[in-house]
Amino acid sequence: MHPMVKPALRRGWRDLNTVQFGMAPAHAMVLSPVDTATGSFLTLLDGTRGLPLLRDEGRRMGLPDGHVDGLVERLSRAGLLDDATGGGPAADALRGRPAVLDRLRPDAASLSLVAPDPGDAMRRLAARHALRVQVRGVGRVGAVLATALAGAGVGRVDVQDGGCVEPWDVAPGGLPVESVGERRDEAARRAVRRAAPGRPPRHGGARSASGHDDPGLSLVIVAPRDGLAVHAPDPAAFEPLIHSGTPHLFAGVVEGTGVVGPLVLPGETACVGCLDRGRTDRDPAWPRLLAQWRSGRPRQVPACDLTLAATVAGLAAGHALAFLDGGLPSSAGTRWEVSVPGFDWHARPVWQHPACPCGPGEKGKGEQTSEDEGPHETMAGQQPHAARLSGTWRAHV
């Protein structure tokens, strides 16, 4: 082990005996009491020395026997210590590719803030290389989202979409202006390859020989260019993902509103069938409206504010990475919505519906079956069922 104080946290002395690690309240910690000699020794915890050498340095600085090991243990329990050589074989392989690792160093530093054990941040970062994510829809939201995942180290990001790139599909970080007129999926795949630190090989879609959804997918992200398809997803279209147990996350823009979620964990959280049934329960006119919207001719150019699309893509990518890294983001069982011009995010719980055959509905009988989505209604203080998950989906990597 080569201990190092997590470099993502800036250090400052509150007084002569108290040191603060980190500036932002979310991850800052205070360590006290710290004597002068121990404070000087902290500068040696930079990942360049193993424990035997650190013990020798401690003795030369006048620290008593056992003090170095005790300090290392104390910092490790507090989640302030990392291991410059930890993370296992996959992390070692990543360190052997310095050009790739240099691209990912900011991501590794960020992961160290949420990965408490020494070496765990590099383990999680290296594990991303073995993951496969499919993004369905590569317009202003989907293309940016796909390149963000590839740039963050996800080893394979498959994209699926039809047609050709239109001028209004172009977005910074997504499809470039040079791709207008090209096949949308091919242009998006090139953008993903350019964004990836290791330039992954060319590949096609993620379908098995039988044509069914590939069970090897870690996550499917549904980012349709049609706003209606994210505002009111067709439950029948996602039954294969439910049956195969494939987690899937929805993201997109409808008119002036951005949507991230729900993240559907089959058998654990509400699905889009629950969403549809809950809306019908709340509003008897919902099926009639939906039939009209789906049968009507869509506008040629949908409303999709560029900054709103970037906001949605960024949040969706963050929720996807949190899940892929083994966590449970707040989009599980929840839709996050944001609208122009205020850009204030609101959580809309998606409740498990007792009539839905997806699995959670049977366990959710007797629970709340409505969704916080009415134009003049709120459900303040209530939490989606996903927040009470036992942890089955947490150990994903």
Side-chain angles (χ1 to χ4, degrees):
M1 180 179 180
H2 282 59
M4 63 177 179
V5 176
K6 292 182 177 178
L9 298 173
R10 291 195 179 186
R11 193 182 316 165
W13 290 87
R14 300 181 66 87
D15 54 45
L16 291 177
N17 303 108
T18 307
V19 60
Q20 177 172 320
F21 298 89
M23 299 181 292
H27 301 109
M29 291 187 184
V30 173
L31 187 66
S32 179
V34 179
D35 57 69
T36 303
T38 300
S40 299
F41 180 80
L42 287 175
T43 62
L44 303 181
L45 297 176
D46 59 2
T48 62
R49 303 167 180 84
L51 277 173
L53 182 55
L54 286 171
R55 295 186 187 108
D56 292 340
E57 295 283 359
R59 282 191 289 269
R60 278 193 288 271
M61 297 173 68
L63 297 175
D65 289 343
H67 186 81
V68 169
D69 291 86
L71 178 63
V72 168
E73 176 64 22
R74 184 182 178 190
L75 293 171
S76 180
R77 286 199 311 267
L80 292 171
L81 207 64
D82 209 342
D83 180 5
T85 60
D92 291 337
L94 180 57
R95 293 188 188 98
R97 306 171 68 193
V100 174
L101 181 56
D102 284 345
R103 285 275 304 274
L104 295 172
R105 286 192 187 278
D107 303 88
S110 180
L111 276 172
S112 74
L113 299 177
V114 297
D117 298 328
D120 196 32
M122 279 295 293
R123 182 191 67 80
R124 295 189 190 189
L125 186 64
R128 290 179 182 180
H129 183 70
L131 300 178
R132 298 178 59 201
V133 176
Q134 183 184 90
V135 178
R136 298 183 179 180
V138 284
R140 280 188 162 189
V141 172
V144 175
L145 202 163
T147 58
L149 294 178
V154 175
R156 179 164 175 174
V157 180
D158 298 322
V159 291
Q160 287 191 354
D161 208 340
C164 296
V165 178
E166 302 287 356
W168 46 86
D169 292 325
V170 172
L175 298 176
V177 66
E178 296 81 10
S179 65
V180 172
E182 299 178 355
R183 283 185 50 179
R184 193 176 274 113
D185 56 353
E186 289 296 329
R189 287 169 189 153
R190 283 196 301 273
V192 165
R193 287 195 297 270
R194 286 194 298 267
R199 288 294 182 94
R202 295 174 179 269
H203 53 75
R207 291 273 175 173
S208 64
S210 63
H212 297 98
D213 291 290
D214 191 330
L217 288 168
S218 305
L219 177 67
V220 171
I221 302 177
V222 183
R225 289 175 288 110
D226 177 10
L228 177 60
V230 73
H231 180 63
D234 183 0
F238 302 101
E239 288 179 359
L241 294 178
I242 296 292
H243 293 156
S244 65
T246 304
H248 44 290
L249 172 69
F250 294 84
V253 172
V254 53
E255 298 170 351
T257 296
V259 176
V260 175
L263 169 63
V264 179
L265 307 178
E268 291 288 345
T269 67
C271 70
V272 292
C274 298
L275 171 67
D276 184 65
R277 286 173 171 83
R279 281 168 159 166
T280 301
D281 289 346
R282 289 166 56 88
D283 183 4
W286 172 254
R288 185 181 307 114
L289 289 169
L290 189 57
Q292 294 174 70
W293 291 333
R294 285 178 175 167
S295 62
R297 172 181 289 184
R299 290 186 174 88
Q300 182 180 8
V301 181
C304 187
D305 179 87
L306 185 61
T307 57
L308 180 62
T311 300
V312 169
L315 186 68
H319 282 230
L321 289 171
F323 172 70
L324 294 170
D325 291 335
L328 188 69
S330 60
S331 55
T334 299
R335 280 162 60 105
W336 285 92
E337 296 182 359
V338 61
S339 300
V340 294
F343 284 88
D344 293 325
W345 285 100
H346 298 280
R348 313 292 190 187
V350 181
W351 304 101
Q352 298 173 348
H353 197 280
C356 186
C358 70
E362 291 300 313
K363 294 185 291 184
K365 286 183 178 179
E367 295 185 4
Q368 173 70 43
T369 59
S370 64
E371 180 198 4
D372 179 14
E373 193 164 287
H376 303 295
E377 301 181 34
T378 60
M379 298 168 68
Q382 295 186 336
Q383 297 296 323
H385 182 74
R388 303 193 296 274
L389 287 176
S390 61
T392 305
W393 288 93
R394 289 179 188 270
H396 185 70
V397 176

